[in-house]
Amino acid sequence: EEDACREVSDVGHRRVYVTDRLGMPLIESVTGPEMKTPTEVAEVGEILRRLVRSTGKVRTGIGAGRQDVNVSVTGGTRIEIKGVPRIPRIPLLTYNEAMRQWNLLRLRKELHHRGVTPETFQAKTEDVTRLLRKTRFEPIRRAISEGKLVKCVVLTKFKGLLRWQTQTDTYFSREISDRVRVIACLTTLPNIVHSDSPSETLSTADWQAVKKATGASDEDTVVLVWGDLIDADTGAKEITIRAKEATIGIPSETRQALRDGTNGFERILPGPDRMYPDTDLPPKRIMQERLDQIRKGMPKYYWTHEAWYHTLGIPQDTIRPLAISPFVTLFETAAKEWKLDPVLVAMAFIQYPKRLKRKMLPVNAINVDSMTTILTALRDGKITREGVLPAMELLARNGVVDQFLTAPIPPSQGVQAFIAQIIEDVSKKNIPTREQVVRTAMHLLMKKLRGKVAGAEVENMLQTRLEG
C-alpha cells in the first residue's frame, strides 16, 4: 500500500509503492529531491502514507507497502536502500547511510594522501593454503580439511583502513565482506579475515608467515578469503575491486535495510541493460482533459479535514485516524446535514470499535453502511445518543441490529410505571443513602431503557418520583 521511499541528501527522493495482497507493486509514487534531513524524510513518508490511506482505496500495516530510501550527500552518489518496511526506521537508516558516504569520502581522501589513487592502486593475490594447513583458526582449518583453498590479497598502503569506521559500529571491512558474501556466494560468516584486526583470528606466527610469503610490508593490509576454487578466486577479485573503488569514492549500489539501523550491500545498481525490459517502455502521454476529470473526483486532503475537526472540538487522539478513515464522508454528512453531535459521531467511528475489541468482539460488521443505519436511527429519534454504543455492540455480536433500532420507544406513562417498580424493588434492599439509591436505580433503569430514553430524562423522572 503505502509507505514510502525517498531520496535524501542535500537532496531527497521518495517513492511510495501501493501493493496488492500478493505484495506486487501497483503504484509507485516518487517525490522530488526536497528532503534535507533524516527526520524530514520520515515526515514526508508519513504524509504520503496517510494521503494514500485517505483515498479509502488502500490498506496500511507492516508489509502492505515498501519504501525505497535514496540517500546522497555532497560529493557522494545516490544510494538506494530497498524495501524499508516501517517509517520509524527511516531516520536512523538515512543517518547511517549519510554517515557511511561521508566516511567513505574521508577514506578516499586518506588514500590519496597516502599516494593511493585509481591510477596508482596496487593489489596482488596469492594462494596461501599450504602455509595455513596447521592453523588453529577454526574456519580456515575446517575449510582446508574440506579441500578448499585460501587466497590472500595484499592491499598496498592500506594498513589500518579496514578498521575505518563507516556506519555506527561498522567498518570498511564490512563493505568488503558484504561484497564477498553476495558476489562470491561465500555466505558463512566470517568469510574474510584481515591483518588490521588480527586478534581472535590467525596467530601472530601465521600472520607473519603469510606476510613474508606474499612480500607484504608494514604499510600494507593482508586479507584472507577461503572457499572452493571458483568462489575463492571470485572472492579475492571482489576484495580487490572494492578496495580500488575506495580510491574513487562511493560506488552506486542498492543496499538492504538492517534491523539495527545500518545497511548492507545488496547489488550493484543496474546500468543501461535493465533486468526488467518493461521499465524501459516509453512514457504514455496523459492528456490535460483526463487530469482535469481526475481532479474533479479527488477527495479533500486529509489535513483539510483535520483542521476542521479541531474547530469542532474532536478529541485529539481521534482526529488523525478519523481524517484517513472510510467514515470521512459520512462524518461530514452527519455533522453538517443531520446536525448530530460531531464529538459523539467521531467517537462512534474511532473509539467505540476499540472498546468493542477490548471485549474481544469482532468489528468487521462496523462499516459505512451499518453506521449509516445506526446514525440515521439517531437522527430520526429512534434511539438516543446512549444507544449508539449498545447498537454497535449488538451489531458486533450478532451481525444485525435492526430489531434494536426499530423497537418502539416506551411512552412516558410506561417509563413512569417502570420507575415506580424499580424504586419499590430498590427500597427493599436497605440501601443506606439516597445517593446510593439513585445510583442503583439508574443502573437498573438504563439497563432496561438505554438507547431508547435519554439518560438525563430518566434521571430527572427518577429524582422527581423520589422527591414526590
Side-chain angles (χ1 to χ4, degrees):
E1 164 227 325
E2 74 204 0
D3 287 275
C5 127
R6 72 235 83 207
E7 223 163 74
V8 194
S9 79
D10 272 356
V11 293
H13 271 329
R14 162 192 173 81
R15 299 175 185 171
V16 178
Y17 293 100
V18 178
T19 64
D20 66 10
R21 289 181 181 273
L22 297 178
M24 300 298 292
L26 301 177
I27 297 176
E28 177 178 343
S29 301
V30 184
T31 70
E34 302 296 338
M35 286 71 79
K36 308 296 183 182
T37 69
T39 302
E40 284 185 354
V41 178
E43 289 172 350
V44 171
E46 182 64 21
I47 289 171
L48 293 181
R49 184 189 76 83
R50 293 170 58 77
L51 187 63
V52 297
R53 179 62 184 268
S54 70
T55 65
K57 305 297 183 182
V58 297
R59 59 191 175 92
T60 57
I62 296 177
R66 284 293 185 268
Q67 305 152 115
D68 293 344
V69 184
N70 298 303
V71 183
S72 63
V73 302
T74 302
T77 188
R78 181 178 71 87
I79 296 296
E80 185 174 7
I81 305 175
K82 296 289 287 185
V84 182
R86 297 189 66 238
I87 289 174
R89 293 187 186 180
I90 289 173
L92 184 56
L93 282 166
T94 305
Y95 168 80
N96 271 308
E97 175 53 29
M99 179 199 297
R100 189 183 77 92
Q101 293 191 35
W102 278 112
N103 283 330
L104 289 177
L105 293 173
R106 291 176 53 245
L107 175 60
R108 179 183 65 180
K109 184 177 180 180
E110 173 63 23
L111 284 166
H112 289 184
H113 178 73
R114 297 183 183 190
V116 183
T117 66
E119 295 73 29
T120 62
F121 173 83
Q122 292 183 12
K124 62 180 178 179
T125 301
E126 294 193 19
D127 188 326
V128 294
T129 307
R130 182 182 59 82
L131 291 174
L132 297 175
R133 289 190 184 279
K134 296 183 179 181
T135 183
R136 293 184 179 180
F137 181 54
E138 179 61 21
I140 291 181
R141 187 196 64 76
R142 184 171 58 250
I144 293 175
S145 70
E146 293 172 354
K148 297 177 181 179
L149 303 178
V150 183
K151 295 297 179 103
C152 172
V153 181
V154 179
L155 302 176
T156 304
K157 295 185 178 181
F158 263 73
K159 181 178 176 59
L161 297 185
L162 268 68
R163 289 288 297 170
W164 189 275
Q165 184 173 2
T166 52
Q167 305 177 67
T168 302
D169 298 326
T170 307
Y171 305 94
F172 183 64
S173 58
R174 163 86 166 276
E175 299 272 325
I176 293 175
S177 175
D178 281 353
R179 283 287 189 91
V180 170
R181 174 179 55 83
V182 175
I183 305 299
C185 299
L186 296 174
T187 57
T188 300
L189 300 178
N191 54 12
I192 64 168
V193 293
H194 55 88
S195 58
D196 287 347
S197 184
S199 61
E200 299 182 4
T201 57
L202 275 63
S203 67
T204 301
D206 286 339
W207 281 117
Q208 289 176 347
V210 169
K211 289 181 179 180
K212 182 177 180 180
T214 57
S217 73
D218 290 339
E219 295 181 346
D220 304 334
T221 290
V222 174
V223 187
L224 302 180
V225 61
W226 52 94
D228 296 333
L229 174 61
I230 295 177
D231 292 344
D233 282 343
T234 303
K237 289 177 182 176
E238 281 304 315
I239 292 169
T240 301
I241 290 170
R242 185 62 189 89
K244 185 173 183 179
E245 287 175 345
T247 70
I248 301 170
I250 304 163
S252 295
E253 301 171 340
T254 292
R255 300 182 67 82
Q256 58 180 319
L258 303 177
R259 288 186 176 274
D260 64 358
T262 64
N263 60 73
F265 174 79
E266 186 173 81
R267 60 182 171 84
I268 302 294
L269 281 178
D273 298 325
R274 306 294 292 273
M275 182 181 297
Y276 307 107
D278 61 329
T279 61
D280 291 322
L281 292 175
K284 183 177 181 180
R285 184 176 181 81
I286 300 176
M287 305 307 292
Q288 187 61 43
E289 292 79 7
R290 184 180 178 190
L291 293 175
D292 292 341
Q293 186 63 34
I294 291 172
R295 288 192 179 97
K296 289 180 181 178
M298 287 180 62
K300 296 177 183 177
Y301 291 122
Y302 73 84
W303 49 81
T304 302
H305 294 298
E306 288 184 354
W308 179 44
Y309 298 162
H310 278 289
T311 67
L312 296 176
I314 304 299
Q316 187 65 37
D317 62 347
T318 303
I319 288 176
R320 298 193 72 184
L322 177 60
I324 62 173
S325 76
F327 299 110
V328 168
T329 301
L330 179 57
F331 177 85
E332 187 167 355
T333 299
K336 288 185 175 180
E337 297 180 19
W338 299 348
K339 306 301 181 182
L340 299 179
D341 178 3
V343 175
L344 170 65
V345 176
M347 293 288 288
F349 289 156
I350 304 302
Q351 301 300 339
Y352 287 1
K354 294 180 181 179
R355 297 183 189 180
L356 298 177
K357 285 182 179 179
R358 286 195 288 269
K359 293 183 177 183
M360 306 302 291
L361 294 175
V363 295
N364 297 336
I366 298 174
N367 52 41
V368 172
D369 290 339
S370 61
M371 289 305 299
T372 299
T373 300
I374 291 172
L375 293 182
T376 300
L378 177 64
R379 178 199 65 186
D380 296 342
K382 295 180 180 179
I383 61 173
T384 65
R385 60 182 296 125
E386 290 91 347
V388 174
L389 181 56
M392 294 176 66
E393 183 168 343
L394 282 172
L395 182 65
R397 291 184 184 278
N398 306 321
V400 293
V401 72
D402 293 345
Q403 186 175 357
F404 174 77
L405 298 179
T406 57
I409 298 175
S412 176
Q413 190 174 9
V415 174
Q416 291 283 8
F418 187 67
I419 289 175
Q421 182 62 51
I422 290 294
I423 291 175
E424 182 180 347
D425 293 342
V426 171
S427 65
K428 296 177 182 179
K429 297 179 182 295
N430 297 318
I431 298 175
T433 67
R434 177 187 172 90
E435 181 182 353
Q436 290 175 320
V437 168
V438 172
R439 187 162 58 245
T440 303
M442 278 297 296
H443 172 74
L444 296 172
L445 286 167
M446 293 309 296
K447 189 174 182 180
K448 179 69 175 179
L449 301 173
R450 188 180 186 187
K452 291 299 181 179
V453 183
E457 183 180 347
V458 172
E459 184 176 11
N460 183 58
M461 294 171 70
L462 174 64
Q463 294 281 10
T464 301
R465 187 82 179 192
L466 289 171
E467 291 171 0

